[in-house]
C-alpha cells in the first residue's frame, strides 16, 4: 500500500492537530457547533464524512476476501 504525500495545507493541519493534541471527535464537534448543524445539516455532514472515508477504504465482501 502506497501512502500519498500530504499537500502543504494537509501538513499544516496535521501539525496543528499534533501540536495542540486535538483528536477527530473534537474536530467534528467544532464543525457542528461552528456551523450550527442540526437535523438535515447533521445528516449532510455524516454523508460528507462517509464519502471522505470511502475514498480511502475499499469495501469488499467477506466472501471475496476469503475465497478470492
Amino acid at each position: 500500500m502506497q501512502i500519498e504525500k500530504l499537500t502543504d495545507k494537509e501538513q499544516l493541519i496535521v501539525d496543528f492537530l499534533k501540536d495542540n493534541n486535538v483528536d477527530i471527535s473534537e474536530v467534528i464537534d467544532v464543525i457542528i457547533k461552528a456551523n450550527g448543524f442540526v437535523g438535515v445539516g447533521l445528516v449532510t455532514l455524516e454523508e460528507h464524512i462517509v464519502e471522505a472515508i470511502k475514498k480511502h477504504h475499499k469495501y469488499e465482501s467477506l466472501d471475496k476476501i476469503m475465497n478470492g
Side-chain angles (χ1 to χ4, degrees):
M1 174 185 224
Q2 183 179 355
I3 297 177
E4 294 180 34
K5 186 176 189 290
L6 296 176
T7 65
D8 290 343
K9 187 173 185 178
E10 290 168 334
Q11 188 60 56
L12 183 65
I13 293 167
V14 168
D15 293 342
F16 174 84
L17 295 174
K18 283 182 181 179
D19 292 347
N20 294 283
N21 197 28
V22 177
D23 67 27
I24 190 70
S25 294
E26 292 169 316
V27 171
I28 293 170
D29 287 342
V30 168
I31 290 169
I32 292 168
K33 288 177 184 178
N35 291 284
F37 288 153
V38 294
V40 174
L42 288 173
V43 172
T44 302
L45 176 60
E46 179 183 17
E47 291 169 355
H48 288 296
I49 291 171
V50 167
E51 286 304 311
I53 292 169
K54 283 182 178 180
K55 287 191 303 189
H56 301 278
H57 179 69
K58 306 298 181 212
Y59 293 95
E60 294 187 57
S61 71
L62 181 58
D63 181 59
K64 184 174 181 180
I65 293 169
M66 299 294 287
N67 300 312

XYZ file of all heavy atoms in Angstrom:
541
model
N 0.848 -1.186 0.000
C 0.000 0.000 0.000
C 0.888 1.243 0.000
O 1.742 1.408 0.849
C -0.906 -0.012 1.218
C -1.715 1.241 1.390
S -2.641 1.203 2.928
C -4.168 1.800 2.348
N 0.655 2.112 -0.945
C 1.442 3.335 -1.061
C 0.736 4.471 -0.331
O -0.451 4.703 -0.517
C 1.625 3.693 -2.530
C 2.478 4.895 -2.746
C 2.652 5.197 -4.230
O 2.204 4.436 -5.076
N 3.285 6.300 -4.529
N 1.466 5.170 0.510
C 0.910 6.298 1.238
C 1.138 7.560 0.411
O 2.251 7.830 -0.036
C 1.558 6.424 2.628
C 1.243 5.185 3.465
C 1.084 7.693 3.321
C 1.900 5.171 4.824
N 0.050 8.305 0.211
C 0.137 9.530 -0.579
C 0.853 10.619 0.205
O 0.710 10.733 1.409
C -1.261 10.023 -0.941
C -2.018 9.098 -1.859
C -3.407 9.637 -2.190
O -3.565 10.862 -2.289
O -4.316 8.815 -2.328
N 1.612 11.440 -0.522
C 2.288 12.577 0.086
C 1.246 13.641 0.433
O 0.306 13.874 -0.312
C 3.290 13.154 -0.913
C 4.165 14.244 -0.350
C 5.186 14.674 -1.390
C 6.215 15.604 -0.832
N 5.799 16.923 -0.476
N 1.409 14.256 1.589
C 0.484 15.302 2.019
C 0.767 16.601 1.272
O 1.919 16.925 0.993
C 0.627 15.553 3.521
C 0.264 14.403 4.451
C 0.566 14.777 5.898
C -1.186 14.001 4.303
N -0.301 17.331 0.990
C -0.128 18.670 0.421
C 0.373 19.581 1.534
O 0.328 19.227 2.718
C -1.462 19.222 -0.119
O -2.368 19.393 0.975
C -2.067 18.294 -1.168
N 0.816 20.763 1.176
C 1.270 21.730 2.188
C 0.146 22.059 3.174
O 0.370 22.147 4.377
C 1.767 23.019 1.531
C 3.074 22.811 0.785
O 3.763 21.795 1.026
O 3.413 23.686 -0.039
N -1.067 22.225 2.660
C -2.208 22.543 3.516
C -2.519 21.381 4.462
O -2.781 21.589 5.648
C -3.430 22.877 2.666
C -4.608 23.375 3.467
C -5.733 23.845 2.553
C -6.862 24.455 3.338
N -7.932 24.946 2.466
N -2.490 20.163 3.937
C -2.738 18.985 4.777
C -1.682 18.860 5.867
O -1.995 18.550 7.018
C -2.772 17.714 3.919
C -3.989 17.619 3.024
C -3.891 16.528 1.977
O -2.759 16.149 1.590
O -4.937 16.056 1.533
N -0.427 19.129 5.521
C 0.653 19.050 6.510
C 0.467 20.109 7.594
O 0.709 19.855 8.771
C 2.020 19.205 5.853
C 3.181 18.952 6.795
C 3.162 17.542 7.371
O 3.146 16.559 6.631
N 3.150 17.432 8.685
N 0.013 21.299 7.207
C -0.268 22.356 8.171
C -1.350 21.907 9.162
O -1.228 22.114 10.377
C -0.714 23.624 7.437
C -0.991 24.850 8.282
C 0.292 25.344 8.963
C -1.592 25.952 7.420
N -2.380 21.254 8.653
C -3.453 20.739 9.508
C -2.919 19.658 10.445
O -3.211 19.672 11.651
C -4.618 20.208 8.650
C -5.289 21.359 7.903
C -5.629 19.446 9.508
C -6.245 20.919 6.806
N -2.139 18.728 9.916
C -1.553 17.663 10.747
C -0.702 18.263 11.859
O -0.812 17.863 13.025
C -0.714 16.687 9.886
C 0.123 15.758 10.755
C -1.613 15.879 8.966
N 0.125 19.228 11.509
C 0.988 19.865 12.508
C 0.159 20.544 13.598
O 0.467 20.431 14.785
C 1.923 20.879 11.844
C 2.951 20.219 10.938
O 3.191 18.994 11.069
O 3.510 20.934 10.079
N -0.903 21.246 13.196
C -1.772 21.901 14.181
C -2.401 20.882 15.120
O -2.413 21.068 16.342
C -2.865 22.720 13.496
C -3.855 23.294 14.474
C -3.576 24.483 15.127
C -5.036 22.630 14.770
C -4.463 25.006 16.060
C -5.927 23.147 15.691
C -5.649 24.336 16.342
N -2.935 19.803 14.548
C -3.581 18.773 15.361
C -2.603 18.164 16.366
O -2.931 17.993 17.546
C -4.185 17.690 14.476
C -5.335 18.119 13.556
C -5.729 16.982 12.626
C -6.526 18.607 14.348
N -1.397 17.862 15.893
C -0.378 17.273 16.774
C 0.071 18.264 17.845
O 0.152 17.923 19.021
C 0.837 16.824 15.962
C 0.640 15.555 15.207
C 1.925 15.186 14.468
C 1.787 13.932 13.681
N 3.039 13.604 12.959
N 0.368 19.481 17.426
C 0.884 20.494 18.354
C -0.121 20.844 19.449
O 0.261 21.261 20.539
C 1.267 21.783 17.604
C 2.470 21.598 16.697
O 3.169 20.567 16.823
O 2.698 22.493 15.856
N -1.403 20.689 19.148
C -2.447 21.082 20.088
C -3.216 19.899 20.665
O -4.239 20.087 21.318
C -3.402 22.060 19.406
C -2.706 23.356 19.081
O -2.481 24.185 19.958
N -2.308 23.529 17.828
N -2.704 18.688 20.417
C -3.308 17.465 20.957
C -4.817 17.413 20.685
O -5.623 17.180 21.584
C -3.023 17.348 22.458
C -3.265 15.941 22.960
O -3.138 14.971 22.228
N -3.627 15.834 24.232
N -5.201 17.644 19.428
C -6.598 17.655 19.006
C -6.925 16.316 18.358
O -6.149 15.815 17.544
C -6.850 18.807 18.001
C -8.270 18.790 17.488
C -6.508 20.149 18.632
N -8.084 15.744 18.734
C -8.474 14.484 18.103
C -9.684 14.691 17.184
O -10.297 15.757 17.151
C -8.734 13.387 19.136
C -9.950 13.629 20.009
O -10.895 14.310 19.568
O -9.969 13.113 21.145
N -10.029 13.659 16.438
C -11.070 13.752 15.420
C -12.433 14.112 16.011
O -13.209 14.854 15.400
C -11.139 12.455 14.580
C -12.050 12.628 13.367
C -11.588 11.272 15.416
C -11.499 13.542 12.324
N -12.740 13.615 17.202
C -14.027 13.931 17.835
C -14.143 15.419 18.120
O -15.214 16.022 17.924
C -14.191 13.156 19.140
O -14.278 11.784 18.879
N -13.052 16.019 18.564
C -13.059 17.464 18.834
C -13.241 18.257 17.545
O -13.952 19.263 17.523
C -11.776 17.873 19.540
C -11.675 17.303 20.952
C -10.297 17.475 21.570
O -9.288 17.225 20.871
O -10.246 17.868 22.737
N -12.604 17.802 16.473
C -12.738 18.484 15.185
C -14.188 18.431 14.723
O -14.762 19.448 14.316
C -11.800 17.856 14.127
C -12.096 18.400 12.737
C -10.344 18.065 14.502
N -14.807 17.257 14.806
C -16.201 17.110 14.381
C -17.123 17.967 15.246
O -18.028 18.631 14.734
C -16.618 15.631 14.384
C -15.840 14.868 13.297
C -18.126 15.485 14.176
C -15.983 13.362 13.363
N -16.905 17.955 16.565
C -17.724 18.779 17.462
C -17.640 20.256 17.098
O -18.655 20.962 17.075
C -17.296 18.591 18.920
C -17.715 17.256 19.505
O -18.608 16.603 18.930
O -17.147 16.867 20.537
N -16.446 20.746 16.807
C -16.269 22.153 16.442
C -16.963 22.456 15.115
O -17.604 23.509 14.971
C -14.768 22.527 16.384
C -14.557 23.873 15.726
C -14.183 22.515 17.779
N -16.865 21.559 14.161
C -17.536 21.758 12.872
C -19.046 21.876 13.089
O -19.703 22.758 12.531
C -17.210 20.611 11.890
C -15.740 20.693 11.454
C -18.146 20.632 10.678
C -15.236 19.477 10.711
N -19.602 21.008 13.928
C -21.043 21.035 14.206
C -21.430 22.337 14.905
O -22.384 23.014 14.497
C -21.452 19.810 15.055
C -21.312 18.529 14.223
C -22.877 19.965 15.594
C -21.406 17.242 15.025
N -20.686 22.712 15.952
C -21.012 23.936 16.703
C -20.824 25.198 15.868
O -21.674 26.088 15.863
C -20.148 24.018 17.960
C -20.528 23.017 19.020
C -19.582 23.110 20.213
C -19.880 22.049 21.243
N -18.934 22.089 22.380
N -19.705 25.287 15.155
C -19.392 26.492 14.383
C -20.391 26.728 13.257
O -20.670 27.870 12.891
C -17.975 26.408 13.823
N -20.941 25.652 12.720
C -21.890 25.767 11.616
C -23.341 25.672 12.064
O -24.252 25.819 11.247
C -21.603 24.691 10.563
C -20.308 24.948 9.842
O -20.241 25.812 8.986
N -19.259 24.223 10.212
N -23.559 25.426 13.357
C -24.916 25.322 13.878
C -25.699 24.173 13.278
O -26.910 24.270 13.090
N -24.997 23.078 12.957
C -25.672 21.947 12.323
C -26.653 21.269 13.263
O -26.328 20.936 14.403
C -24.657 20.893 11.863
C -23.839 21.295 10.665
C -22.579 20.757 10.486
C -24.307 22.188 9.720
C -21.807 21.111 9.386
C -23.543 22.548 8.619
C -22.289 21.997 8.449
N -27.877 21.071 12.782
C -28.898 20.266 13.445
C -29.678 19.561 12.331
O -29.634 19.980 11.179
C -29.877 21.108 14.301
C -29.169 21.746 15.477
C -30.569 22.165 13.472
N -30.347 18.511 12.664
C -31.215 17.830 11.697
C -30.546 17.499 10.388
O -29.580 16.751 10.324
N -31.056 18.109 9.311
C -30.564 17.839 7.960
C -29.085 18.181 7.825
O -28.335 17.491 7.139
C -31.403 18.602 6.912
C -30.815 18.448 5.517
C -32.846 18.130 6.925
N -28.643 19.223 8.505
C -27.230 19.599 8.456
C -26.336 18.494 8.987
O -25.268 18.236 8.437
N -26.788 17.827 10.056
C -26.010 16.719 10.607
C -26.005 15.525 9.654
O -24.982 14.854 9.495
C -26.562 16.285 11.971
C -26.312 17.255 13.117
C -27.053 16.794 14.365
C -24.825 17.394 13.398
N -27.128 15.281 9.007
C -27.206 14.185 8.035
C -26.255 14.457 6.875
O -25.520 13.571 6.427
C -28.657 13.994 7.527
C -28.706 12.995 6.370
C -29.560 13.528 8.667
N -26.239 15.690 6.400
C -25.346 16.060 5.303
C -23.889 15.935 5.723
O -23.060 15.415 4.961
C -25.644 17.501 4.833
O -27.012 17.568 4.425
C -24.737 17.906 3.685
N -23.552 16.371 6.942
C -22.189 16.217 7.444
C -21.810 14.747 7.496
O -20.708 14.365 7.092
C -22.052 16.856 8.827
C -20.697 16.690 9.512
C -19.572 17.322 8.674
C -20.728 17.275 10.912
N -22.731 13.915 7.975
C -22.477 12.471 8.022
C -22.177 11.931 6.627
O -21.233 11.152 6.439
C -23.681 11.746 8.619
C -23.497 10.235 8.673
C -24.726 9.516 9.204
O -25.822 10.109 9.237
O -24.584 8.344 9.581
N -22.952 12.350 5.643
C -22.730 11.893 4.263
C -21.347 12.314 3.767
O -20.656 11.533 3.104
C -23.826 12.439 3.350
C -25.179 11.827 3.619
C -26.323 12.551 2.904
O -26.084 13.603 2.254
O -27.471 12.054 3.011
N -20.941 13.543 4.091
C -19.613 14.021 3.678
C -18.504 13.197 4.349
O -17.506 12.854 3.705
C -19.423 15.500 4.030
C -20.210 16.435 3.180
N -20.017 16.571 1.831
C -21.203 17.294 3.497
C -20.855 17.465 1.344
N -21.597 17.920 2.344
N -18.683 12.892 5.617
C -17.682 12.103 6.343
C -17.598 10.692 5.770
O -16.499 10.173 5.540
C -17.989 12.087 7.857
C -17.768 13.485 8.449
C -17.126 11.047 8.572
C -18.254 13.647 9.881
N -18.741 10.080 5.509
C -18.756 8.726 4.939
C -18.057 8.716 3.575
O -17.238 7.830 3.291
C -20.204 8.189 4.837
C -20.263 6.938 3.979
C -20.767 7.925 6.227
N -18.363 9.690 2.743
C -17.731 9.750 1.423
C -16.218 9.960 1.532
O -15.444 9.376 0.770
C -18.365 10.843 0.566
C -19.735 10.477 0.050
C -19.758 9.173 -0.738
O -18.915 8.985 -1.633
O -20.634 8.339 -0.440
N -15.798 10.788 2.476
C -14.361 11.014 2.675
C -13.665 9.713 3.077
O -12.560 9.419 2.601
C -14.133 12.085 3.737
N -14.305 8.931 3.921
C -13.725 7.654 4.356
C -13.708 6.665 3.203
O -12.709 5.963 2.989
C -14.490 7.095 5.572
C -14.245 7.989 6.784
C -14.077 5.644 5.853
C -15.141 7.697 7.974
N -14.787 6.618 2.442
C -14.866 5.664 1.323
C -13.776 5.898 0.288
O -13.362 4.963 -0.394
C -16.241 5.731 0.660
C -17.318 5.037 1.446
C -18.651 5.095 0.693
C -19.735 4.372 1.438
N -21.018 4.432 0.708
N -13.303 7.139 0.153
C -12.218 7.415 -0.796
C -10.952 6.651 -0.428
O -10.123 6.374 -1.280
C -11.893 8.913 -0.832
C -12.918 9.754 -1.517
C -12.438 11.170 -1.756
C -12.016 11.870 -0.488
N -11.750 13.309 -0.657
N -10.812 6.324 0.852
C -9.589 5.689 1.333
C -9.770 4.230 1.732
O -8.800 3.542 2.002
C -9.045 6.467 2.538
C -8.743 7.892 2.212
N -7.560 8.271 1.609
C -9.474 9.027 2.362
C -7.572 9.577 1.420
N -8.722 10.060 1.863
N -11.022 3.771 1.784
C -11.303 2.411 2.236
C -12.162 1.710 1.194
O -13.304 2.080 0.975
C -12.044 2.451 3.580
C -12.401 1.107 4.118
N -11.462 0.214 4.569
C -13.593 0.504 4.281
C -12.070 -0.874 4.981
N -13.355 -0.733 4.811
N -11.595 0.708 0.564
C -12.325 -0.026 -0.458
C -13.027 -1.219 0.190
O -12.393 -2.087 0.782
C -11.377 -0.527 -1.550
C -10.522 0.566 -2.155
C -11.359 1.622 -2.834
C -10.493 2.680 -3.455
N -11.027 3.977 -3.476
N -14.351 -1.226 0.099
C -15.129 -2.297 0.697
C -15.145 -3.519 -0.216
O -15.352 -3.410 -1.401
C -16.568 -1.844 0.951
C -16.667 -0.789 2.006
C -16.698 0.558 1.665
C -16.703 -1.136 3.350
C -16.772 1.535 2.638
C -16.789 -0.160 4.326
C -16.829 1.161 3.964
O -16.907 2.117 4.926
N -14.895 -4.680 0.379
C -15.013 -5.933 -0.339
C -15.805 -6.885 0.526
O -15.719 -6.848 1.747
C -13.639 -6.541 -0.625
C -12.794 -5.721 -1.573
C -11.518 -6.438 -1.961
O -11.622 -7.556 -2.475
O -10.453 -5.874 -1.723
N -16.550 -7.754 -0.103
C -17.337 -8.712 0.660
C -16.407 -9.700 1.354
O -15.306 -10.006 0.870
C -18.311 -9.465 -0.244
O -17.598 -10.359 -1.073
N -16.847 -10.214 2.496
C -16.069 -11.203 3.224
C -15.819 -12.423 2.361
O -14.731 -12.986 2.363
C -16.778 -11.603 4.530
C -16.067 -12.618 5.409
C -14.681 -12.123 5.813
C -16.903 -12.935 6.653
N -16.828 -12.843 1.568
C -16.682 -13.989 0.701
C -15.555 -13.771 -0.307
O -14.718 -14.660 -0.529
C -17.994 -14.267 -0.046
C -17.889 -15.475 -0.936
O -17.602 -16.575 -0.411
O -18.086 -15.318 -2.166
N -15.487 -12.588 -0.897
C -14.437 -12.288 -1.870
C -13.069 -12.276 -1.206
O -12.084 -12.776 -1.761
C -14.707 -10.941 -2.550
C -13.714 -10.626 -3.641
C -14.073 -9.368 -4.397
C -13.050 -9.113 -5.483
N -13.334 -7.905 -6.244
N -12.972 -11.739 -0.015
C -11.700 -11.720 0.710
C -11.244 -13.136 1.047
O -10.074 -13.485 0.879
C -11.827 -10.869 1.990
C -12.031 -9.392 1.620
C -10.583 -11.031 2.891
C -12.419 -8.510 2.783
N -12.174 -13.953 1.505
C -11.851 -15.319 1.927
C -11.560 -16.248 0.752
O -10.698 -17.113 0.835
C -12.985 -15.904 2.769
C -13.269 -15.148 4.052
S -11.922 -15.230 5.233
C -12.093 -16.908 5.783
N -12.281 -16.067 -0.354
C -12.208 -17.019 -1.463
C -11.579 -16.463 -2.729
O -11.466 -17.177 -3.725
C -13.610 -17.550 -1.787
C -14.215 -18.252 -0.589
O -13.571 -19.076 0.045
N -15.445 -17.889 -0.243
N -11.187 -15.208 -2.685
C -10.529 -14.615 -3.846
C -11.456 -14.275 -4.883
O -11.850 -14.087 -5.808
